[in-house]
Amino acid sequence: MATPAVPASSPPATPAPAPAAASAPAPAPTPAPAPGAATAQAAAPASPTDAAAAPAAPGQTAASAQAPAQTPAPSLPGPALPGPFPGGRVVRLHPVILASIVDSYERRNDGAARVIGTLLGTVDKHSVEVTNCFSVPHNESEDEVAVDMEFAKNMYELHKKVSPNELILGWYATGHDITEHSVLIHEYYSREAPNPIHLTVDTSLQNGRMSIKAYVSTLMGVPGRTMGVMFTPLTVKYAYYDTERIGVDLIMKTCFSPNRVIGLSSDLQQVGGAARIQDALSTVLQYAEDVLSGKVSADNTVGRFLMSLVNQVPKIVPDDFETMLNSNINDLLMVTYLANLTQSQIALNEKLVNL
Amino acid sequence: MASRKEGAGSTATSSSSSAGVVGKGKGKGGPGDSAVKQVQIDGLVVLKIIKHYQEEGQGTEVVQGVLLGLVVEDRLEITNCFPFPQHTEDDADFDEVQYQMEMMRSLRHVNIDHLHVGWYQSTYYGSFVTRALLDSQFSYQHAIEESVVLIYDPIKTAQGSLSLKAYRLTPKLMEVCKEKDFSPEALKKANITFEHMFEEVPIVIKNSHLINVLMWELEKKSAVADKHELLSLASSNHLGKNLQLLMDRVDEMSQDIVKYNTYMRNTSKQQQQKHQYQQRRQQENMQRQSRGEPPLPEEDLSKLFKPLQAPARMDSLLIAGQINTYCQNIKEFTAQNLGKLFMAQALQEYNN
């Protein structure tokens, strides 16, 4: 399997050959045929000379190293911009994607600062639903980026065998910023998918939060001249299947245990701990007692909620309820009895046969 | 399933030879003990299994996949998994072994554990004790001693609590399967009852710190309304379905018992007939001797009385095991429901 080859040619070299190197990669990235990985050569940030080369090669695509990729306003340190962003599509993420990204970040090679991978999913009229992903090996250094595109293609084929409806939607990267290399990688992915999305998951926990953002690239700049690329943010929503939500609820419980381990409880314990009702109830009770003893001033809205809560219990004539309850309990008891009976029957049968 | 068995076998051997240690010599217990006392699963694996079923496996089809991980002392850690495509019509041009090999090779490139440690399967209302599962698990366990099969019950999960169980074949059953001898005598000798076919291994879920951070983030950001299915009282449908399946199995069981009984009766009748024939022969021979004629040749009794085919005991064992599982599921279910009913009663009492 071809791993990304460190290009033996010039890029980190002196500025003089840089313009030549800058024009050389232009044909190279386009087809990525069988001979191993297609490498993207980001020319060294020798921008002045590159800018000189720019008019000489107007056919160069926007993604070459001339206009550095710009992140929009969110480059200001601070909390993430709230959505929804007007005019943008909505990206719906499943939790399995994020868990997968975090896991591949934890398994990254020594020295790699971030990991990248492909996002798979389905496209809808208004939204894009990302349902699967896989990581792609890549090498990144100051000057260049090499992505193993053949690996990506192979994996996509394998994944398609299981879920034929999934398409390549874009790619993800860990880390909290968008770098120049991202632009190039984004360009590769734009060959695989129309208008790919780029997802960043901040595993370095800047600002104490793991921010998850999605972008789509748009051209910007003065038309007619060299165009740059801008990443515009998209609204990120989380989509869950019912069963996924239950799974996530369970997994979330490991946050509370000291060694991050939980067992799968059974039967009655689950009902008791269901939906954190006991905690909720004790909070409410505490609040009510505080209000009664005067510690906290009474809030009318809360009071109204409490009253509607208590009134939620349906008022049923006690006799009717008794009959309902008893018949249900009888059903359940009968079924338990039958189940036990069946079990003893087959055990008996076993003994008889083995005589 | 047959090609998958070979695939598992060959993959296991290749992975064990290429990847080195597959848990050999890791403090095995005595011959009666099982090599795995606990299964530790990453949260990621749980999510992937859930997603796989949700997307690809509607209806009564089962979805399957492979578990990857490693063995640490007597604990089996499952760190990743990948799904297996289902058997479709165009089976011919699909090579399962190759799919598996390619997948594992690719995963190795991104540093994911590529050791094969088991497989998972979804189930419909708990009916997973089949011959196919037994065969697959046997071949897995034969190749890799610590492998388990994870059974994921999506319908029970949708009712509010994740239902994931890990099973292994007991060493006794492994012995029997190795001999491939499923006749009644062999099974009697091995003293296998349906309760000792599969053993359940306790599961724990473990997450890394970073995943915990992710969970906190998700909880803050995604204000998904809790639906509290677990507290729903309207579950008679589920119960009815379970009972229906149980009844079908019991019917099968009774048919099997009838077959066995007829077999026993026929064998004893045949024995009697053989005995009678022998006696008659002896009498005739004595008469002939007294008359001076040569005795009749001893005929091969087995040719005259063809030995009856003993009915396969394995199937009835499996049915018994399945009935057992159904009963246990039903009991769990009724216990939960009783709890809920009493809770509802308490609320009502307070009201009045």
Side-chain angles (χ1 to χ4, degrees):
Chain A
M1 183 74 64
T3 39
V6 176
S9 53
S10 55
T14 60
S23 44
T30 33
T39 54
Q41 301 187 1
S47 320
T49 44
D50 285 350
Q60 281 201 352
T61 53
S64 52
Q66 292 136 9
Q70 286 191 11
T71 52
S75 57
L76 298 164
L81 282 188
F85 294 97
R89 287 182 296 176
V90 172
V91 176
R92 301 175 64 221
L93 286 184
H94 281 261
V96 65
I97 310 275
L98 299 169
S100 202
I101 296 179
V102 168
D103 180 72
S104 44
Y105 175 74
E106 286 174 352
R107 290 171 185 280
R108 65 192 187 286
N109 288 320
D110 279 335
R114 60 180 194 166
V115 291
I116 67 167
T118 311
L119 294 171
L120 306 171
T122 50
V123 184
D124 200 1
K125 216 159 66 107
H126 304 291
S127 65
V128 164
E129 190 155 342
V130 184
T131 50
N132 206 346
C133 68
F134 56 83
S135 73
V136 173
H138 85 302
N139 275 351
E140 195 169 325
S141 69
E142 271 296 315
D143 316 323
E144 79 223 345
V145 153
V147 173
D148 193 350
M149 288 312 276
E150 187 177 319
F151 176 93
K153 279 202 188 55
N154 263 343
M155 277 297 258
Y156 178 53
E157 291 301 314
L158 288 176
H159 274 268
K160 244 173 70 160
K161 291 206 177 107
V162 178
S163 2
N165 300 331
E166 289 185 343
L167 313 161
I168 296 188
L169 289 180
W171 63 294
Y172 67 81
T174 57
H176 65 100
D177 232 353
I178 300 190
T179 63
E180 295 103 15
H181 304 321
S182 307
V183 182
L184 290 153
I185 305 180
H186 199 82
E187 202 208 343
Y188 278 124
Y189 276 98
S190 55
R191 260 177 248 130
E192 307 282 335
N195 210 2
I197 21 177
H198 173 43
L199 181 73
T200 51
V201 176
D202 182 14
T203 43
S204 51
L205 303 178
Q206 293 243 331
N207 307 328
R209 300 279 299 271
M210 181 189 276
S211 57
I212 300 168
K213 305 197 209 126
Y215 302 96
V216 93
S217 78
T218 48
L219 295 175
M220 70 150 191
V222 181
R225 301 292 203 98
T226 54
M227 303 283 278
V229 162
M230 182 171 81
F231 282 95
T232 39
L234 297 173
T235 329
V236 173
K237 289 213 171 113
Y238 298 94
Y240 293 73
Y241 301 124
D242 287 340
T243 38
E244 266 185 341
R245 193 167 27 80
I246 295 172
V248 168
D249 274 344
L250 182 69
I251 297 176
M252 228 184 291
K253 294 212 177 90
T254 61
C255 298
F256 304 108
S257 94
N259 54 346
R260 298 166 284 129
V261 163
I262 48 159
L264 294 182
S265 60
S266 70
D267 304 6
L268 225 37
Q269 286 178 325
Q270 285 169 337
V271 178
R276 298 163 269 214
I277 276 200
Q278 280 184 318
D279 297 336
L281 275 179
S282 43
T283 326
V284 169
L285 273 178
Q286 187 63 39
Y287 173 80
E289 280 180 22
D290 283 345
V291 169
L292 280 179
S293 62
K295 269 194 264 177
V296 176
S297 64
D299 186 359
N300 278 338
T301 12
V302 178
R304 260 180 247 126
F305 276 132
L306 281 177
M307 201 163 101
S308 64
L309 174 75
V310 173
N311 283 339
Q312 287 273 10
V313 180
K315 291 231 174 355
I316 311 180
V317 176
D319 285 337
D320 284 351
F321 184 75
E322 279 289 311
T323 16
M324 274 196 277
L325 188 72
N326 282 337
S327 60
N328 267 331
I329 292 185
N330 280 341
D331 284 342
L332 291 174
L333 287 175
M334 175 187 79
V335 169
T336 320
Y337 174 71
L338 280 178
N340 279 334
L341 197 64
T342 321
Q343 271 184 318
S344 37
Q345 273 278 330
I346 45 178
L348 202 61
N349 179 45
E350 201 72 33
K351 290 277 182 297
L352 283 177
V353 162
N354 283 346
L355 266 182
Chain B
M1 204 41 108
S3 61
R4 173 124 179 270
K5 266 195 302 184
E6 286 141 34
S10 64
T11 320
T13 41
S14 67
S15 71
S16 58
S17 57
S18 63
V21 174
V22 190
K24 291 193 183 58
K26 292 258 186 176
K28 291 202 193 131
D33 284 353
S34 158
V36 175
K37 293 268 177 350
Q38 199 190 58
V39 171
Q40 181 179 293
I41 308 187
D42 263 13
L44 174 65
V45 175
V46 175
L47 288 178
K48 272 187 152 176
I49 296 180
I50 293 179
K51 169 202 172 280
H52 182 209
Y53 177 79
Q54 193 71 33
E55 295 196 337
E56 305 300 329
Q58 298 304 331
T60 52
E61 295 196 7
V62 294
V63 298
Q64 295 166 337
V66 169
L67 298 171
L68 307 163
L70 58 151
V71 179
V72 174
E73 295 162 351
D74 64 353
R75 214 171 53 215
L76 180 67
E77 294 194 7
I78 302 182
T79 52
N80 215 322
C81 67
F82 62 85
F84 231 76
Q86 287 173 323
H87 283 260
T88 49
E89 314 79 45
D90 41 329
D91 237 354
D93 56 350
F94 178 68
D95 191 359
E96 297 186 336
V97 181
Q98 203 200 8
Y99 173 82
Q100 232 174 359
M101 300 287 334
E102 285 229 19
M103 205 52 163
M104 289 174 51
R105 216 182 305 142
S106 315
L107 290 176
R108 200 194 323 203
H109 271 280
V110 286
N111 296 338
I112 294 183
D113 291 328
H114 53 276
L115 288 180
H116 215 153
V117 292
W119 58 298
Y120 68 84
Q121 180 179 306
S122 74
T123 171
Y124 178 69
Y125 280 109
S127 50
F128 58 86
V129 184
T130 59
R131 193 56 191 271
L133 185 122
L134 191 70
D135 288 339
S136 298
Q137 181 58 15
F138 170 66
S139 60
Y140 260 87
Q141 238 171 288
H142 193 60
I144 308 167
E145 205 188 312
E146 296 87 357
S147 71
V148 299
V149 54
L150 275 187
I151 303 287
Y152 164 66
D153 189 347
I155 300 173
K156 199 145 175 249
T157 308
Q159 290 209 322
S161 58
L162 179 69
S163 155
L164 200 63
K165 297 207 163 108
Y167 288 103
R168 287 167 51 80
L169 299 185
T170 49
K172 277 201 276 191
L173 192 59
M174 288 286 292
E175 291 293 324
V176 172
C177 285
K178 248 186 264 201
E179 318 281 319
K180 289 210 194 309
D181 181 11
F182 296 131
S183 63
E185 296 80 28
L187 286 178
K188 209 185 297 189
K189 209 171 12 144
N191 201 12
I192 296 200
T193 64
F194 62 86
E195 280 169 353
H196 296 142
M197 286 205 315
F198 292 100
E199 55 178 10
E200 189 178 334
V201 186
I203 295 183
V204 293
I205 298 189
K206 183 162 174 145
N207 279 333
S208 66
H209 290 291
L210 211 48
I211 299 241
N212 274 353
V213 174
L214 177 71
M215 290 296 146
W216 281 113
E217 274 298 317
L218 279 183
E219 193 174 344
K220 286 207 171 90
K221 287 209 181 138
S222 66
V224 181
D226 278 327
K227 275 207 234 159
H228 304 310
E229 298 95 351
L230 189 55
L231 294 176
S232 148
L233 284 174
S235 44
S236 52
N237 207 5
H238 180 95
L239 191 62
K241 212 60 214 255
N242 251 328
L243 282 178
Q244 179 87 28
L245 289 168
L246 183 63
M247 285 194 315
D248 289 339
R249 283 315 161 108
V250 171
D251 280 341
E252 277 183 29
M253 184 83 182
S254 63
Q255 279 179 351
D256 196 78
I257 291 180
V258 163
K259 253 196 289 180
Y260 190 71
N261 278 342
T262 33
Y263 163 74
M264 290 304 277
R265 233 178 294 134
N266 285 346
T267 353
S268 61
K269 231 193 298 177
Q270 208 187 44
Q271 288 284 53
Q272 272 191 339
Q273 283 178 338
K274 271 196 211 172
H275 206 64
Q276 281 180 349
Y277 180 80
Q278 264 183 332
Q279 280 191 332
R280 250 186 295 132
R281 260 301 154 91
Q282 276 184 340
Q283 277 185 345
E284 271 202 37
N285 277 346
M286 285 195 356
Q287 283 181 350
R288 284 196 169 203
Q289 269 184 342
S290 58
R291 273 185 275 160
E293 286 172 21
L296 288 169
E298 279 294 320
E299 286 195 12
D300 194 3
L301 282 172
S302 57
K303 274 209 218 106
L304 276 183
F305 298 95
K306 280 207 205 75
L308 293 168
Q309 189 77 7
R313 296 297 306 147
M314 203 50 187
D315 286 337
S316 60
L317 254 190
L318 286 171
I319 296 179
Q322 184 63 70
I323 293 182
N324 195 26
T325 327
Y326 281 144
C327 290
Q328 280 182 335
N329 278 351
I330 289 180
K331 285 200 287 195
E332 259 184 40
F333 181 76
T334 49
Q336 278 187 342
N337 266 24
L338 277 174
K340 289 188 238 177
L341 281 176
F342 282 124
M343 266 165 61
Q345 186 189 35
L347 279 178
Q348 276 291 325
E349 268 174 12
Y350 185 74
N351 238 1
N352 305 326

